[in-house]
Amino acid sequence: MRNQFLFSGLIVSLVLLFLINMSLGSVAIPLKEVFTTLTGGTSEKSTWQYIILNYRLPKAFTAIMVGMGLSISGLLMQTLFRNPLAGPDVLGLSSGASLGVAMVVMGAGFFPALLSGILLSQFSIVIASSLGSFLVLLAVLAVSQRLKDTMAILIVGLMFGSITSSVVSVLTYFSSADQLQKFTFWALGSLGNLSWNSIINLSTCTLIGLTLSFINIKPLNALLLGENYARSMGVDYQRTKTLLIFTTSILTGSITAYAGPIFFIGLVIPHIAKLVFQTSNHAILFWATLLLGISIMLLCDTISQMPGCDFTLPINAVTSIIGAPVVIWLLLGKRKMAT
């Protein structure tokens, strides 16, 4: 009953945040006009209809995909590593994806024009981003087999992130002004400027990742009590681990390729879901994390739009302002429990 009430409240909040997100921006549009446009009616002003359908709706869809994908990635990583501070950005996955994109964007100039054009296509960037994320996660997982201290695993992830960031710095040093500008804007993170074709591609990758996550709910519950317990419950540990790595790589890699590196969403949202629903059952946490991820991402996007102003903040700045205090609070809570 309590969970039903919470889920109902989350869905209502999500719908409200979606409408507010469509309404606020440099041009304020009444909620009634937003609703009329989205339901196929004609808005009072044609410019409002144009802004909603061509700018704000694609951006809201992107925010939904990013919120769902990154928050579920964080949930998978925290369960696989049995570490509450694991997440795509903490474990270096976002940095690995950034390295993949940097190598494509800034390395394309060394190849002939035809090959350079292929490398700079959206499809190549998605592949490079997913591959970078996949390789870093494999490396972290290999090292974690030798380490039992969960905090040490996180530090290893941060070190891999530091290495990939260093390689990106070297690449930027030798890049042209045009390549550097293109990569810098991408690295700030943005939910806008995606065409509907790009959104369809991002949605396809996200839905594949979410489907693979959903069918692993039962093994995820078994993994909460460790590898040996999962094996005793009949879980094929190696297969499950490989599938979780593959799923996280698809989700993090595709989202980073299209929206840039977005920090803290994957780390913070699963914790909020666990605190609100007070359960470790992934059958509940999956949907709770999904809905909270969408809501928080829509909220961050609304704040980044700076309603009434002519400029927009980088989405990463907003997610960091909200996410960093939560991480500090989690660390302080863990220290208090240890003492």
Side-chain angles (χ1 to χ4, degrees), residues 155-172:
I155 293 171
V156 168
L158 289 172
M159 290 304 103
F160 275 111
S162 178
I163 293 169
T164 54
S165 298
S166 300
V167 177
V168 171
S169 299
V170 172
L171 287 171
T172 55

Side-chain angles (χ1 to χ4, degrees), residues 46-225:
S46 60
T47 50
W48 287 350
Q49 191 157 350
Y50 186 83
I51 290 171
I52 290 170
L53 295 179
N54 292 282
Y55 291 100
R56 294 188 184 173
L57 189 58
K59 196 148 71 74
F61 267 111
T62 307
I64 289 170
M65 294 301 145
V66 170
M68 288 195 298
L70 289 183
S71 57
I72 292 297
S73 292
L75 181 65
L76 298 183
M77 289 298 91
Q78 287 170 16
T79 304
L80 179 62
F81 285 93
R82 297 176 64 203
N83 191 317
L85 293 176
D89 39 333
V90 177
L91 291 173
L93 272 66
S94 298
S95 299
S98 298
L99 176 61
V101 174
M103 292 182 78
V104 168
V105 171
M106 293 186 273
F110 295 103
F111 296 97
L114 179 61
L115 188 56
S116 175
I118 295 172
L119 284 174
L120 288 174
S121 68
Q122 196 68 54
F123 182 72
S124 298
I125 290 176
V126 172
I127 295 291
S129 180
S130 299
L131 195 60
S133 169
F134 179 75
L135 291 176
V136 169
L137 184 51
L138 271 185
V140 172
L141 205 61
V143 175
S144 71
Q145 301 297 321
R146 295 174 175 270
L147 297 172
K148 297 300 177 188
D149 184 357
T150 54
M151 194 56 73
I153 295 171
L154 291 181
I155 293 171
V156 168
L158 289 172
M159 290 304 103
F160 275 111
S162 178
I163 293 169
T164 54
S165 298
S166 300
V167 177
V168 171
S169 299
V170 172
L171 287 171
T172 55
Y173 183 78
F174 290 104
S175 301
S176 66
D178 185 48
Q179 291 169 330
L180 189 58
Q181 186 187 41
K182 187 173 182 180
F183 182 75
T184 302
F185 278 118
W186 172 85
L188 287 173
S190 173
L191 302 176
N193 303 322
L194 286 187
S195 65
W196 279 112
N197 282 336
S198 297
I199 292 171
I200 290 171
N201 293 336
L202 174 61
S203 304
T204 304
C205 294
T206 307
L207 290 177
I208 290 172
L210 293 178
T211 304
L212 291 173
S213 307
F214 181 74
I215 62 178
N216 273 293
I217 283 179
K218 192 175 176 182
L220 283 169
N221 280 333
L223 283 175
L224 285 173
L225 295 176

